[in-house]
Amino acid sequence: KTDVSSMARSPELIALEGAGTALMGHNKEALDLLTQLEVANDPASQLWAGLAAQSDGNAEEARVRFDRGAQALSDFWPQQRAIFLLANAGAALELNDDFLAQSLAKRARDDAQDAVTKAQAELLLARALYKSGRADEALESLNILEKNSDREVAARAKFEKAIIGMETGKVSPADSIRALDALRYAWRGDEFEI
């Protein structure tokens, strides 16, 4: 006879349910599962919790969870590692840790197994470079990324380039406005939609 209630609370099952919930984009529910006492000391669960927290807009919680899960990164295949690293880099950038964001974005780019994830890492790296005072390098990277075949990456690169160009005086406000206006048709369907 199986004790269903003890199986339902097993750390393995909680971790699996939490990871699956995070992959479905139910971030609050995933974080609730992955912060339970049964998985609090499981580094792999903490990586999934970090991903859920960052996807939910909680950069501080994400950084805590990613730090707790760092030792488990090598247990994941490169593409999944890249996804964790990219989310961690995004959290670091939001918290103004530009140098950590650069390091994590480079690692994400190197681990990424698909072109879109590599481009997303390059985009985040360009943003981190700009925030750390390296605007010319950021703009150079954005010039390449704005031609990317992934429409979302290209649109976000054009957006960043227009903003950085205007803030640094390398692009006139009128040209930046024209570039931003053209983005109305470049990307639709999420919070980035202009």
Side-chain angles (χ1 to χ4, degrees):
K1 185 176 176 178
T2 305
D3 182 1
V4 175
S5 64
S6 68
M7 187 169 55
R9 298 295 300 166
S10 75
E12 295 82 6
L13 195 55
I14 292 170
L16 184 61
E17 184 180 357
T21 303
L23 286 170
M24 289 188 297
H26 302 292
N27 300 309
K28 285 184 184 357
E29 295 86 351
L31 203 51
D32 287 343
L33 287 164
L34 294 164
T35 56
Q36 291 183 15
L37 186 59
E38 293 87 347
V39 294
N41 294 320
D42 174 36
S45 294
Q46 297 307 300
L47 291 173
W48 288 105
L51 185 64
Q54 180 60 13
S55 297
D56 198 42
N58 189 342
E60 289 180 14
E61 179 75 12
R63 286 287 306 122
V64 168
R65 298 297 168 179
F66 283 126
D67 282 348
R68 289 182 185 168
Q71 70 188 37
L73 261 177
S74 62
D75 295 340
F76 288 88
W77 59 294
Q79 179 62 21
Q80 188 59 51
R81 259 195 326 262
I83 292 167
F84 289 138
L85 288 164
L86 191 55
N88 195 359
L93 190 62
E94 285 180 42
L95 298 173
N96 298 314
D97 193 341
D98 309 332
F99 297 107
L100 178 60
Q102 288 173 46
S103 173
L104 293 167
K106 287 175 185 175
R107 289 176 56 200
R109 176 195 61 203
D110 294 345
D111 276 350
Q113 301 295 298
D114 67 59
V116 173
T117 307
K118 282 185 186 295
Q120 290 169 337
E122 286 286 348
L123 182 60
L124 200 142
L125 178 57
R127 291 175 54 216
L129 287 169
Y130 172 63
K131 284 187 74 177
S132 67
R134 296 162 63 186
D136 289 339
E137 290 175 69
L139 287 169
E140 186 178 317
S141 182
L142 293 169
N143 282 332
I144 295 167
L145 288 168
E146 74 180 353
K147 298 171 186 85
N148 195 281
S149 62
D150 182 78
R151 288 181 49 227
E152 181 180 8
V153 168
R156 290 180 187 273
K158 289 174 186 175
F159 176 82
E160 293 294 334
K161 182 180 169 186
I163 298 300
I164 292 171
M166 188 173 63
E167 287 178 355
T168 60
K170 295 181 184 294
V171 176
S172 73
D175 287 341
S176 287
I177 290 169
R178 274 192 287 282
L180 292 172
D181 188 53
L183 287 175
R184 288 184 298 156
Y185 306 105
W187 183 253
R188 296 184 151 313
D190 64 9
E191 75 283 349
F192 182 67
E193 183 174 336
I194 295 177

